[in-house]
Amino acid sequence: MTETLGSGGISTKRRRIAKLARTSPEMALTTLAHHIDLSWLQAAYEQTRKDGAVGVDGQSAAEYAANLESNLRDLLERFKSGTYKAPPVRRAWVPKDGAEPRPIGIPTFEDKVLQRAVLMVLESVYEEDFLNCSYGFRPGRSAHDALQDLWKGLMNVEVSWVLDADIQGFFDTLSHPVLRDFLDQRVRDGVLRRTVHKWLNAGVLEEGMVRYPELGTPQGGVISPLLANLYLHEVLDKWFEFTIKPKLRGDAVLVRYADDFVIAFERRDDAERVLAVLPKRFGKYGLTLHPEKTRLLRFQKPRRDDVSDDDHGAKPETFGFLGFTHYWGYSRKGKRVVKRKTEAKRFRRALLRIKEWCRDHRHERVREQHAALSRKVQGHYAYYGMTGNARWLHNFLTEVERIWRKYLDRRGQRRAMSWERFQLLKREYPLPRPRVVHSVYRRVANP
């Protein structure tokens, strides 16, 4: 690239946009697209994944990179002149345990680059607006941050009731006119808005047919999470923080990760009032709460005789959030604490993937199997390795070893892989031991 500012120049631009948004929180910004130049597109290209499936044009990242500067210059010209045509998204289906297959969208590589470039602008604006209660798909925030803040809220607020909510088909039912109204409040740059409009109406290619849904965000696009966050920022976050909380008689805590959220209440009457008005609030913007998956449950600190000694269950009720079951238990010092363990369905799903992998790779060398399984086990610990979940980490390791031995025993060898022989093999090829990666107490000490 002959024209480049480098990452430092892009960061400076983004800080300028953020400062403008921060100092003018009520102003709609009308001149933003000029920040996207060749160096900006280069930065967007560098941040775009290169190993994804190809879109409707069949062009891979390697093919696009073969003439990168010319391609980016042409893309920039079409973007600025308004002649860029958003291609349809290729739809594929991913199996989902115990439910209908989940659709995913695969944009073209060039479309991913441009979406990333526009995201970098919009993100600089909306990160100044979004509230602390939202965590999903935001820079510097993770699911573990959401879990940690929920844990602190449950521990520090005298929580008695939890509203565990589920939005039915959120990403497929998001209203385009409502989204445009929300965008109007902060971003009115004609070039950016025209491009976002094209993505919303690009269509979906499936089985040789292109359909044009009137609802939902661009499937598979990197711009979709931000648009979804903006939608729920207006519909839920701001409404709860500035309209509902001041009217409550007790404390309450909202934690949202993308379209998954829970609200913890100190008082039952507050929780029931919010549950009564929440469907009406969502319905006003075309959203629906799942009637079976949305529930209000008692989550009050228990008496000692309310909790079983083995921590497998708890009274009062439990609820799931981001792959963990939350319940009241007792610490080693006998204090009442909120504990978390791997959700049963997530546990089964992880073991099913291990089983399928061992079945398909059972004839590979033991050394190669061990290396791959070690990475998979470490990946499991990296997410589920939280304070209080040690038992389920050990259970996971035990089950992985059992599955591994089972398929080693089916390799057609003369000698069976007995447990005794497997124990000898484990000495040479031990799988990683469970470890707590995300310590509650370490985060409290070093927030």
Side-chain angles (χ1 to χ4, degrees), residues 255-289:
V255 177
R256 178 176 67 81
Y257 189 91
D259 62 327
D260 194 1
F261 70 93
V262 295
I263 310 177
F265 297 89
E266 179 183 2
R267 297 176 58 95
R268 179 174 184 172
D269 55 347
D270 286 339
E272 291 176 339
R273 286 166 55 204
V274 172
L275 179 59
V277 300
L278 195 60
K280 300 175 185 177
R281 172 70 181 181
F282 276 25
K284 179 180 177 181
Y285 299 97
L287 302 178
T288 305
L289 288 176

Side-chain angles (χ1 to χ4, degrees), residues 28-29 126 179-188 193:
L29 307 178
Y126 285 111
L179 177 59
R180 293 190 188 99
D181 289 342
F182 290 154
L183 284 166
D184 280 342
Q185 298 176 26
R186 284 297 261 160
V187 177
R188 294 183 187 173
R193 291 298 301 275

